[in-house]
Coordinates of all heavy atoms in Angstrom, one line a residue:
K1 N 18.7 0.8 79.5 CA 19.7 1.3 80.4 C 19.5 0.7 81.8 O 18.4 0.7 82.3 CB 19.6 2.8 80.5 CG 20.0 3.5 79.2 CD 19.9 5.1 79.3 CE 20.3 5.8 78.0 NZ 20.3 7.2 78.2
Y2 N 20.6 0.2 82.3 CA 20.5 -0.4 83.6 C 21.9 -0.4 84.3 O 22.9 -0.2 83.7 CB 20.0 -1.9 83.6 CG 20.5 -2.7 82.4 CD1 21.5 -3.6 82.5 CD2 19.9 -2.5 81.1 CE1 21.9 -4.4 81.4 CE2 20.3 -3.3 80.0 CZ 21.3 -4.2 80.2 OH 21.7 -5.0 79.1
T3 N 21.9 -0.6 85.6 CA 23.1 -0.6 86.4 C 23.2 -2.0 87.1 O 22.1 -2.6 87.4 CB 23.2 0.5 87.4 OG1 22.0 0.6 88.2 CG2 23.4 1.8 86.7
V4 N 24.4 -2.5 87.3 CA 24.5 -3.8 88.0 C 25.4 -3.6 89.3 O 26.3 -2.8 89.2 CB 25.0 -4.9 87.1 CG1 24.0 -5.2 86.0 CG2 26.4 -4.5 86.5
Y5 N 25.0 -4.3 90.3 CA 25.7 -4.2 91.6 C 26.0 -5.6 92.1 O 25.5 -6.6 91.7 CB 24.7 -3.5 92.6 CG 24.2 -2.2 92.2 CD1 23.1 -2.0 91.4 CD2 24.8 -1.0 92.7 CE1 22.7 -0.7 91.0 CE2 24.4 0.3 92.4 CZ 23.3 0.4 91.5 OH 22.8 1.6 91.2
G6 N 27.0 -5.6 93.0 CA 27.4 -6.9 93.6 C 27.8 -6.7 95.1 O 28.1 -5.6 95.5
A7 N 27.9 -7.9 95.7 CA 28.4 -7.9 97.1 C 28.8 -9.3 97.4 O 28.2 -10.3 97.0 CB 27.2 -7.5 98.1
K8 N 29.9 -9.4 98.2 CA 30.4 -10.7 98.6 C 29.6 -11.3 99.7 O 29.3 -12.5 99.8 CB 31.9 -10.6 99.1 CG 32.5 -11.9 99.3 CD 34.0 -11.7 99.6 CE 34.7 -13.1 99.8 NZ 36.2 -12.9 100.1
E9 N 29.1 -10.4 100.6 CA 28.2 -10.7 101.7 C 27.0 -9.7 101.6 O 27.2 -8.6 101.3 CB 28.9 -10.7 103.0 CG 30.0 -11.7 103.2 CD 30.7 -11.7 104.5 OE1 30.3 -10.8 105.3 OE2 31.5 -12.5 104.8
L10 N 25.8 -10.2 102.0 CA 24.7 -9.3 102.0 C 24.9 -8.1 103.0 O 25.3 -8.3 104.1 CB 23.4 -10.0 102.4 CG 22.8 -10.9 101.3 CD1 21.6 -11.6 101.8 CD2 22.5 -10.1 100.0
P11 N 24.7 -6.9 102.5 CA 24.9 -5.7 103.4 C 23.9 -5.8 104.5 O 22.8 -6.5 104.5 CB 24.6 -4.5 102.5 CG 24.8 -5.1 101.1 CD 24.4 -6.5 101.1
A12 N 24.1 -5.0 105.6 CA 23.2 -4.9 106.7 C 21.9 -4.4 106.3 O 20.8 -4.9 106.8 CB 23.8 -4.0 107.8
D13 N 21.8 -3.5 105.4 CA 20.6 -2.9 104.8 C 20.6 -3.3 103.4 O 20.8 -2.4 102.5 CB 20.5 -1.4 105.1 CG 19.2 -0.8 104.6 OD1 18.3 -1.6 104.2 OD2 19.1 0.4 104.4
P14 N 20.2 -4.5 103.0 CA 20.4 -5.0 101.6 C 19.5 -4.3 100.6 O 19.8 -4.3 99.4 CB 20.1 -6.5 101.7 CG 19.2 -6.6 102.9 CD 19.7 -5.6 103.8
E15 N 18.4 -3.7 101.0 CA 17.5 -3.0 100.1 C 18.1 -1.8 99.5 O 17.7 -1.4 98.4 CB 16.1 -2.7 100.7 CG 15.3 -3.9 101.0 CD 15.7 -4.7 102.2 OE1 16.5 -4.2 103.0 OE2 15.3 -5.9 102.3
N16 N 19.0 -1.1 100.2 CA 19.6 0.1 99.8 C 20.7 -0.1 98.8 O 21.7 -0.7 99.2 CB 20.1 0.9 101.0 CG 20.5 2.3 100.7 OD1 20.7 2.7 99.5 ND2 20.7 3.2 101.7
L17 N 20.5 0.3 97.6 CA 21.6 0.1 96.5 C 22.9 0.8 96.9 O 23.9 0.3 96.4 CB 21.1 0.5 95.2 CG 20.0 -0.3 94.5 CD1 19.5 0.3 93.2 CD2 20.6 -1.7 94.2
E18 N 22.8 1.8 97.7 CA 24.1 2.5 98.0 C 25.0 1.6 98.9 O 26.2 1.9 99.0 CB 23.7 3.8 98.7 CG 23.0 4.8 97.8 CD 22.8 6.1 98.5 OE1 23.2 6.2 99.7 OE2 22.3 7.1 97.9
N19 N 24.4 0.6 99.5 CA 25.3 -0.3 100.3 C 25.9 -1.4 99.5 O 26.6 -2.3 100.0 CB 24.4 -0.9 101.4 CG 23.9 0.2 102.4 OD1 24.6 1.2 102.6 ND2 22.8 0.0 103.0
W20 N 25.6 -1.4 98.2 CA 26.2 -2.4 97.3 C 27.3 -1.8 96.5 O 27.4 -0.6 96.3 CB 25.1 -2.9 96.3 CG 24.1 -3.8 97.0 CD1 23.1 -3.3 97.9 CD2 23.9 -5.2 96.8 NE1 22.3 -4.4 98.3 CE2 22.7 -5.5 97.6 CE3 24.5 -6.2 96.1 CZ2 22.3 -6.8 97.7 CZ3 24.0 -7.5 96.1 CH2 22.9 -7.8 96.9
I21 N 28.2 -2.7 95.9 CA 29.3 -2.2 95.0 C 28.7 -2.0 93.6 O 28.1 -2.9 93.0 CB 30.4 -3.2 95.0 CG1 31.0 -3.5 96.4 CG2 31.5 -2.8 94.1 CD1 31.9 -4.7 96.4
L22 N 28.9 -0.8 93.1 CA 28.4 -0.5 91.7 C 29.5 -1.2 90.8 O 30.6 -0.8 90.7 CB 28.4 1.0 91.4 CG 28.1 1.4 90.0 CD1 26.7 0.9 89.5 CD2 28.2 2.9 89.8
L23 N 29.0 -2.2 90.0 CA 29.9 -2.9 89.2 C 30.1 -2.2 87.8 O 31.3 -2.1 87.3 CB 29.4 -4.3 88.9 CG 29.3 -5.2 90.1 CD1 28.7 -6.6 89.7 CD2 30.6 -5.4 90.8
R24 N 29.1 -1.7 87.3 CA 29.2 -0.9 86.0 C 27.8 -0.4 85.6 O 26.7 -1.0 86.0 CB 29.8 -1.7 84.9 CG 29.1 -2.9 84.4 CD 29.6 -3.3 83.0 NE 29.4 -2.3 82.0 CZ 30.0 -2.2 80.8 NH1 30.9 -3.1 80.5 NH2 29.7 -1.3 80.0
E25 N 27.8 0.5 84.7 CA 26.5 1.0 84.1 C 26.4 0.3 82.7 O 27.5 0.2 82.0 CB 26.5 2.5 84.0 CG 26.5 3.2 85.3 CD 26.4 4.7 85.2 OE1 26.7 5.2 84.1 OE2 26.2 5.4 86.2
C26 N 25.3 0.0 82.3 CA 25.1 -0.7 81.0 C 24.0 0.0 80.1 O 23.1 0.5 80.6 CB 24.6 -2.2 81.3 SG 25.6 -3.1 82.5
E27 N 24.3 -0.1 78.8 CA 23.3 0.4 77.9 C 23.3 -0.5 76.7 O 24.3 -0.8 76.0 CB 23.6 1.8 77.4 CG 22.6 2.3 76.4 CD 22.8 3.8 76.1 OE1 23.8 4.4 76.6 OE2 22.0 4.4 75.3
S28 N 22.1 -1.0 76.3 CA 21.9 -1.8 75.2 C 22.0 -1.0 73.9 O 21.3 0.1 73.8 CB 20.5 -2.5 75.2 OG 20.2 -3.3 74.1
I29 N 22.8 -1.4 73.0 CA 23.0 -0.6 71.8 C 22.6 -1.4 70.5 O 22.9 -2.5 70.4 CB 24.5 -0.3 71.6 CG1 25.0 0.5 72.8 CG2 24.8 0.5 70.3 CD1 24.4 1.9 73.0
K30 N 21.8 -0.7 69.7 CA 21.4 -1.3 68.4 C 22.4 -0.9 67.4 O 22.6 0.3 67.1 CB 20.0 -0.7 68.0 CG 19.4 -1.3 66.8 CD 18.0 -0.7 66.6 CE 17.2 -1.3 65.5 NZ 15.9 -0.8 65.3
P31 N 23.1 -1.9 66.7 CA 24.2 -1.5 65.8 C 23.8 -0.5 64.7 O 24.6 0.4 64.5 CB 24.5 -2.9 65.2 CG 24.2 -3.9 66.3 CD 23.0 -3.3 66.9
S32 N 22.7 -0.7 64.1 CA 22.3 0.2 63.0 C 21.9 1.6 63.4 O 22.0 2.6 62.7 CB 21.2 -0.4 62.1 OG 20.0 -0.4 62.8
G33 N 21.4 1.7 64.6 CA 20.8 3.0 65.1 C 19.5 3.4 64.5 O 19.0 4.5 64.7
L34 N 18.9 2.5 63.8 CA 17.6 2.7 63.1 C 16.5 2.8 64.1 O 16.6 2.3 65.2 CB 17.3 1.6 62.1 CG 18.2 1.6 60.8 CD1 17.9 0.3 60.0 CD2 18.0 2.8 60.0
P35 N 15.4 3.5 63.7 CA 14.2 3.6 64.6 C 13.6 2.3 65.0 O 13.9 1.2 64.3 CB 13.2 4.5 63.8 CG 14.0 5.1 62.8 CD 15.2 4.2 62.5
I36 N 12.8 2.2 66.1 CA 12.1 1.0 66.5 C 11.3 0.5 65.3 O 10.6 1.2 64.6 CB 11.2 1.3 67.7 CG1 12.1 1.6 68.9 CG2 10.3 0.2 68.0 CD1 11.3 1.9 70.2
G37 N 11.4 -0.8 65.1 CA 10.7 -1.5 64.1 C 11.5 -1.7 62.8 O 11.1 -2.5 61.9
Q38 N 12.6 -1.0 62.7 CA 13.5 -1.2 61.5 C 14.8 -1.9 62.0 O 15.6 -1.3 62.7 CB 13.8 0.2 60.9 CG 12.5 0.9 60.4 CD 12.9 2.3 59.8 OE1 13.9 2.4 59.1 NE2 12.0 3.2 60.0
N39 N 15.0 -3.1 61.5 CA 16.2 -3.8 61.9 C 17.0 -4.4 60.7 O 16.4 -4.9 59.8 CB 15.7 -5.0 62.8 CG 15.0 -4.6 64.1 OD1 15.5 -3.7 64.8 ND2 13.9 -5.2 64.3
T40 N 18.3 -4.3 60.8 CA 19.1 -4.8 59.8 C 19.5 -6.2 60.2 O 19.3 -6.7 61.3 CB 20.4 -4.0 59.6 OG1 21.2 -4.0 60.8 CG2 20.0 -2.5 59.3
D41 N 20.2 -6.9 59.3 CA 20.7 -8.3 59.6 C 21.7 -8.2 60.7 O 21.8 -9.1 61.6 CB 21.4 -8.9 58.4 CG 20.4 -9.3 57.3 OD1 19.2 -9.4 57.6 OD2 20.8 -9.5 56.1
E42 N 22.5 -7.1 60.7 CA 23.5 -6.9 61.8 C 22.8 -6.7 63.2 O 23.2 -7.2 64.2 CB 24.4 -5.7 61.5 CG 25.5 -5.5 62.5 CD 26.4 -4.3 62.1 OE1 26.1 -3.6 61.1 OE2 27.4 -4.1 62.8
D43 N 21.6 -6.0 63.2 CA 20.8 -5.8 64.4 C 20.3 -7.2 64.9 O 20.4 -7.5 66.1 CB 19.6 -4.9 64.1 CG 20.0 -3.5 63.8 OD1 21.1 -3.1 64.2 OD2 19.2 -2.8 63.1
I44 N 19.8 -8.0 64.0 CA 19.3 -9.3 64.4 C 20.4 -10.2 64.9 O 20.3 -11.0 65.9 CB 18.5 -10.0 63.3 CG1 17.4 -9.1 62.9 CG2 18.0 -11.3 63.7 CD1 16.4 -8.7 64.0
D45 N 21.6 -10.2 64.3 CA 22.7 -11.0 64.8 C 23.1 -10.6 66.2 O 23.4 -11.4 67.0 CB 23.9 -10.8 63.8 CG 23.8 -11.5 62.5 OD1 22.9 -12.4 62.4 OD2 24.5 -11.2 61.6
H46 N 23.1 -9.3 66.4 CA 23.4 -8.7 67.8 C 22.4 -9.2 68.8 O 22.7 -9.5 69.9 CB 23.6 -7.2 67.7 CG 23.9 -6.6 69.1 ND1 25.2 -6.5 69.5 CD2 23.1 -6.1 70.0 CE1 25.2 -6.0 70.7 NE2 23.9 -5.7 71.1
L47 N 21.1 -9.1 68.4 CA 20.0 -9.5 69.2 C 20.2 -11.0 69.7 O 20.1 -11.3 70.9 CB 18.7 -9.4 68.5 CG 17.4 -10.0 69.1 CD1 16.9 -9.1 70.2 CD2 16.3 -10.3 68.1
N48 N 20.5 -11.9 68.8 CA 20.7 -13.3 69.1 C 21.9 -13.6 69.9 O 22.0 -14.5 70.7 CB 20.7 -14.1 67.8 CG 19.3 -14.1 67.1 OD1 18.3 -14.1 67.8 ND2 19.3 -14.1 65.8

């Protein structure tokens, strides 16, 4: 899970994420939904 931010010019206080444009929230999804360590061919295709 992660969020990505952007700016055309560096903000005056660039360390503060609130001064950046929130582009979107992201979540990595495993197609099969299986537990960690169990991967289908579809999971590996998505990984690559």
Side-chain angles (χ1 to χ4, degrees):
K1 292 184 179 180
Y2 39 102
T3 51
V4 292
Y5 302 83
K8 189 173 182 178
E9 297 179 355
L10 285 177
D13 181 12
E15 288 76 19
N16 189 346
L17 286 174
E18 292 184 359
N19 294 331
W20 291 69
I21 301 170
L22 173 63
L23 299 178
R24 64 164 295 163
E25 296 179 346
C26 307
E27 180 174 3
S28 175
I29 301 296
K30 186 178 184 178
S32 71
L34 292 173
I36 289 176
Q38 300 179 36
N39 300 311
T40 64
D41 290 342
E42 188 178 2
D43 293 335
I44 300 304
D45 286 344
H46 180 84
L47 171 78
N48 293 325

